[in-house]
Amino acid sequence: HGSPELWKTLFLVMDVLIKKAPPDDPVFCFMNRKRDEGKPYFVYMAAGANKFLRIYYGKVKEYLASLNTTE
């Protein structure tokens, strides 16, 4: 479900994240844990994309709230 273009973009971001393997990144740690649990490729990629979007949304929401309080 959802936009095929968005899914493709998210999977590309997750693919780069797995290849670069930054050890302190929370999304990479989450995906690596799911991979170690033996989850299938699309399951841990979709879970990582969901985690990434939740973190991104939280940061954007926090930033917008800080803009409203400074004005």
Side-chain angles (χ1 to χ4, degrees):
H1 300 283
S3 167
E5 292 84 10
L6 178 60
W7 275 109
K8 182 178 179 180
T9 304
L10 285 171
F11 270 63
L12 287 172
V13 170
M14 296 302 108
D15 189 50
V16 169
L17 199 65
I18 287 176
K19 289 178 182 172
K20 295 294 181 183
D24 59 340
D25 186 66
V27 177
F28 172 74
C29 293
F30 177 76
M31 288 175 57
N32 203 30
R33 188 173 70 238
K34 293 297 174 191
R35 196 166 36 171
D36 291 343
E37 291 173 2
K39 301 288 185 191
Y41 174 78
F42 285 105
V43 171
Y44 71 77
M45 290 291 275
N50 189 14
K51 179 104 171 155
F52 171 78
L53 287 175
R54 288 175 183 269
I55 291 171
Y56 180 78
Y57 176 74
K59 290 188 185 259
V60 169
K61 190 175 175 183
E62 182 180 294
Y63 173 74
L64 292 176
S66 72
L67 288 179
N68 290 337
T69 57
T70 57
E71 291 178 357

